[in-house]
Amino acid sequence: MSATPSTQPPTDFDFIIGDWQVRHRRLNARLQGCTDWTEFLGTSSTRKILQGFGNVEDNVLQFPEGAVRAAAFRSFDPATRQWAIWWLDHRGPHTLDVPVVGSFTGSVGTFLARDTLDGQAIVVRFTWHANPGGHPTWAQAFSGDDGATWETNWEMEFERLGAGEGQAPMLARAG
């Protein structure tokens, strides 16, 4: 007997399973008209959980001011065919961020949440690009006007660890 789509684990995030070096690019101030970015490296390791209906991503972000440990938790709802993504880092060890919720269309995933920033209501958007055969990317954007305009404030590019000899380090390639 074959599994029905509702009981078959999703494959949307299979592209990110494994160990990665991550090039981060973060806007220095959010929703303030800032154009200055900080770049830094990190590592990420993602494993499936919940019999394939979720995954956990363990991160080390090498911020210029020091390393930060963080985790992303992703859970799939077969009834709605949507993912929820939560963020937790060691600077607030008892606080999960508001989850972004969404799905993939082809190799692009879009996830949204309503949250606040400095007391202002915002919409948060995560965009994943699986980039089959290439480097997956992720971007975070905030909107202070209910989605009419967006400011991208964090970008990540993933390179699989052990991807091959002779490749230049990611920051050396960044331009």
Side-chain angles (χ1 to χ4, degrees):
M1 177 182 243
S2 64
T4 64
S6 64
T7 60
Q8 185 89 359
T11 59
D12 300 320
F13 277 105
D14 283 2
F15 69 91
I16 203 69
I17 302 300
D19 301 318
W20 303 86
Q21 179 175 324
V22 184
R23 184 175 56 87
H24 295 264
R25 185 172 177 257
R26 183 179 67 162
L27 194 61
N28 292 343
R30 297 169 179 181
L31 295 180
Q32 297 178 18
C34 181
T35 58
D36 297 322
W37 293 79
T38 298
E39 292 190 19
F40 55 94
L41 290 176
T43 58
S44 178
S45 181
T46 303
R47 303 288 179 257
K48 289 186 179 187
I49 58 173
L50 304 172
Q51 294 186 324
F53 286 86
N55 59 64
V56 63
E57 177 184 286
D58 187 22
N59 297 280
V60 178
L61 298 89
Q62 299 295 341
F63 287 117
E65 59 273 13
V68 170
R69 300 263 348 176
F73 301 94
R74 301 183 189 98
S75 174
F76 184 76
D77 182 345
T80 63
R81 311 285 308 153
Q82 291 193 316
W83 288 90
I85 306 171
W86 293 264
W87 181 256
L88 172 71
D89 79 48
H90 81 262
R91 296 169 296 179
H94 298 153
T95 305
L96 286 172
D97 282 355
V98 172
V100 292
V101 177
S103 60
F104 279 81
T105 300
S107 63
V108 178
T110 305
F111 307 87
L112 300 168
R114 294 194 176 278
D115 203 350
T116 59
L117 176 68
D118 299 327
Q120 175 187 356
I122 64 168
V123 181
V124 177
R125 181 181 68 200
F126 287 6
T127 306
W128 275 101
H129 291 268
N131 295 331
H135 299 291
T137 62
W138 172 90
Q140 174 180 269
F142 290 172
S143 175
D145 55 15
D146 207 30
T149 60
W150 293 94
E151 176 187 81
T152 299
N153 59 56
W154 198 320
E155 298 173 334
M156 296 188 296
E157 180 183 7
F158 293 75
E159 183 173 4
R160 193 171 295 279
L161 289 175
E165 296 293 322
Q167 293 185 345
M170 292 180 77
L171 280 180
R173 291 196 316 258

